[in-house]
Amino acid sequence: MAIHGPLPNPVATACPYCGVGCGVIASADAGGRVTVAGDPTHPANRGRLCVKGSALGETVGLEGRLLHPMIRTRSGSMERVSWESALDAVTEGFARTIREQGPDATAFYLSGQLLTEDYYAANKLMKGFVGTANVDTNSRLCMASSVAGHRRAFGSDTVPGTYEDLDAADLLVLVGSNASWCHPILWQRMVANQRDRGARIVVIDPRRTATAAEADLVLQIRPGMDGVLFSGLLVHLADGGRLDEAYLSGHTTGLEDALTRAREIAPSIAATAASTGLAAADVALLFDWFALTPRAVTLYSQGVNQSAQGTDKVSAILNCHLATGRIGRPGMGPFSLTGQPNAMGGREVGGLANMLAAHMGFSASEIDRVRRFWGAPRMAGREGLKAVQMFDAVAAGSIRSLWVMGTNPAASLPRADHVRRALGRLDLLVVSENMLSNDTVNSGAHILLPAAAWGEKDGTVTNSERRITRQRPFLDLPGEVKPDWWIIAEVARRLGFAEAFDWPDVAAIFREHAALSGFENNGSRDFDISGLARITNADYDGLVPVQWPVRSTSDRGDKRFFAEGGFYSADRRARLVAIEPPALKVVTDAERPFLLNTGRVRDQWHTMTRTGKSPTLGRHIPEPFVAVGPADAAALGLSAGDIARIESHHGAARLRVVIDEGQASGEVFAPIHWTAETAADGRIGAVVQAATDPFSGQPEMKATTVALSKVEVESEGFLLCRGDVASLAGVLWTRVATEGGTGLLFAALAPFDGAAIIRGIAGSDDVISEVGDPSRGLYRAAAFQDGRLTAVFFSGPGAREAWATVTRLFACPTLDPADRRALLAGRTAEGIADQGPTVCACFAVGLTAVRCAISEGASDVDAVGRATKAGTNCGSCRSEIRKLIGAERRLEPA
Ligand code: SF4
């Protein structure tokens, strides 16, 4: 792996993946070896890292990096240019659009991966100086409904609690959250609370996920019905005399209307059960536990937010906590689990089109306040276009110049093919990126700007509990790569705003951001870090993780909000909201009888531009898949490992079939990660519909009506080679990082010539060993150069089963004679063949070994760990092992 030169290290930094915001100690040596470990002093993770964080060292290589500015030539090719030329071209393009069609014909689409300082610079340029609020972010796909729900109830976008509440709660209710996979370190804290203090865990989800495996109660709810369940809970609390009348009368409004509406929606346990598809006894148990457990935290994530009624779902949850006064006290409160590493930082600076800056909105007084602080010549006077609307405006031609920073909308937005086509119509598409190639870059980008990546970036991020952590560099900026804030400031300078963007360094941006948070605040806004507004560069460099608010230099007090009211609405009261009757906005029919749910898998992140480089992370689930319930699969004639075509009104994909008992009948699940870069036909964003929530604008990514059908496959196999590998024509391929090279797993739809493929890959003087049985369609070959293994090709019976074993052999360039003889048999010299899919990525323990340990008597996760080592390092696979133990037990004869 090639990396650029190391800076002085180790450094304390932050993980660039999920909103847990774990502290990482990272170092690099001159030989290119990067090591990471959990930061034992960081309050979020206390030294632990999940498998994604642990594998960060495998993701910092320069392979595929964009290292120089590039501009598309008239012939359509990309050409390297100087920074001067690139920045001038960006400026001229935006200036022309502003001049000819006005500021609203321009837009920025940002990312929860940007640092707060980068976000601040972009937002200030557009909303204060260009004069448009067309600044939105991929966080719109993540937690916009939580923002809208918070603002509606609290008058501010405030997460009231802290992670310590998860340690102190006696009841943890997870709604629409597969925390075991998506927020693993927080999940491990919750499970520790369950184990050590006896806290109960309830999981409410349409799928039975790995998280459900550890729950005390699982409510496999009908999609879209969370609002019914929490309406029923509010009614139950009221009827049982469990409301906190003092808190309600002292600090809230709206109970009467909210409760009246809740009674219309869910008047009784029986009615709640009927609407939600749950057993009445389970509903009653949840309601009793909640009613009788003061220390209750309700955690929610994308299953709540990514919904056409997401804001109402959030409101239904907040209503129950406000009505019982369970907010802002130890072990109590609603808790929005943020998906992205810096979605919270983006919210703080106004990265969303409906926020201005420093948690201010678009009232006349707020616009005026920010205008005066910035000295802004042309303030945006109203909210801008939210993500889905923004790309519709691109498609309609009303946005002509777009700058995308650090995100991949051509893969991740709903109706991704529509987005891809829309991008191709722009007068100017600028992309600030780490990678030379991705779906957005390849959708007609005119200018590519090389931006700093994790390990090189310098700034701050804010996690789900409002904790600001420094992200520090430990690697030099490679090539001509620059920080995002510098790029934005250079364009601002060229547009004529040099003075307002004349920051000498990133610390100066942070000070300005902190000062704005305190400007004319006087306790009227929640977000206030003015105590850091005069921080010196040295103190900024040494800043330890700090939770906001930081209202003065000595402010390190209680960091919970609202125990004693003090909301940020005009009357300082919280508002309970009468939600609309929950109704799923889509209906399946005979043509498209399934509801598609989308989400993440344990070991990948977003569109895999970083995690896709890691062989460790590629082991767990190497291919895009669709999870189907056993009965539905049988009815469709689908078996595990088949390929299925999934098709909606908007697009289609072809995915590997996984039979999952956790899938309810009529519902299927597919992950969001694979793109045109990593799979031939695995872009699930192309299939997803684009209905949005009326308040938050967040798209409904959990319910698209789809049809499924089996794809007939001629043969299956894989190709392994050193370095990168081109895609194979005529097959459904998935690219997988492996130790020592790259693999392509494939399903061929027509006959092909395996011998020609390996000869095309191998060097002219390579020696090729082959075995074949044409009558069975079996062909296997390995290429060697001077005894060194250079490529492997397997197709036909047994090929897929040999993948894990052969990739492990491929990791060693020079095989000993016994392994060399065993290679084409798909087994090691010890005779180990099919290891099955990887369960524990840290120790590469496969499903076969875990099942074997269970069948030999390992009855709990620790026992499986003792037998196989699985689950004994980062712990990310422990829920999965527990699920396997449960499944094996169900299979045992009574
Ligand atoms: S839980 Fe894992 S992915 Fe999330 S911040 Fe921590 S180490 Fe990173």
Side-chain angles (χ1 to χ4, degrees), residues 15-22 24 45 48-54 56 182-186 605:
C15 175
Y17 298 127
C18 81
V20 177
C22 295
V24 174
N45 57 315
R48 300 200 69 134
L49 291 177
C50 77
V51 64
K52 289 192 288 292
S54 302
L56 271 167
C182 301
H183 297 92
I185 294 299
L186 277 192
W605 179 256

Side-chain angles (χ1 to χ4, degrees), residues 590-809:
E591 204 182 335
R592 293 188 177 82
F594 296 98
L595 215 48
L596 168 67
N597 184 354
T598 62
R600 293 183 175 148
V601 300
R602 193 189 75 191
D603 291 2
Q604 296 296 341
W605 179 256
H606 279 199
T607 55
M608 296 171 65
T609 45
R610 175 172 295 281
T611 51
K613 288 182 165 187
S614 162
T616 300
L617 300 179
R619 287 186 196 130
H620 180 230
I621 297 177
E623 290 176 292
F625 68 90
V626 57
V628 188
D632 288 335
L636 291 164
L638 291 172
S639 302
D642 283 349
I643 300 286
R645 183 172 190 273
I646 180 166
E647 175 261 328
S648 73
H649 286 285
H650 308 289
R654 285 173 290 184
L655 308 170
R656 184 74 59 187
V657 172
V658 168
I659 309 296
D660 185 347
E661 290 186 1
Q663 285 297 137
S665 181
E667 298 168 30
V668 298
F669 172 86
I672 60 171
H673 307 290
W674 279 269
T675 68
E677 294 284 301
T678 47
D681 200 8
R683 297 169 67 246
I684 203 64
V687 181
V688 172
Q689 60 136 341
T692 56
D693 178 274
F695 305 101
S696 69
Q698 183 152 357
E700 168 71 87
M701 301 180 82
K702 300 287 188 186
T704 300
T705 54
V706 295
L708 276 186
S709 56
K710 183 172 174 172
V711 175
E712 294 302 335
V713 168
E714 175 76 19
S715 71
E716 299 267 5
F718 62 84
L719 171 66
L720 285 164
C721 64
R722 307 291 172 195
D724 201 1
V725 57
S727 56
L728 291 176
V731 304
L732 293 174
W733 54 266
T734 303
R735 181 173 281 110
V736 189
T738 64
E739 233 172 299
T742 309
L744 282 188
L745 280 157
F746 67 81
L749 306 179
F752 64 96
D753 185 349
I757 290 171
I758 187 91
R759 282 177 170 75
I761 299 272
S764 55
D765 52 352
D766 281 9
V767 175
I768 296 177
S769 305
E770 306 169 276
V771 294
D773 180 351
S775 68
R776 297 168 57 220
L778 184 145
Y779 176 76
R780 298 176 178 187
F784 296 89
Q785 191 173 60
D786 300 329
R788 190 174 170 272
L789 184 59
T790 58
V792 180
F793 184 91
F794 270 49
S795 67
R800 287 182 56 75
E801 291 76 8
W803 163 255
T805 301
V806 175
T807 50
R808 199 182 282 190
L809 291 170

Side-chain angles (χ1 to χ4, degrees), residues 417-429:
D417 286 347
H418 162 79
V419 171
R420 196 155 63 171
R421 286 190 295 272
L423 290 171
R425 295 190 193 121
L426 283 159
D427 294 340
L428 177 63
L429 173 58

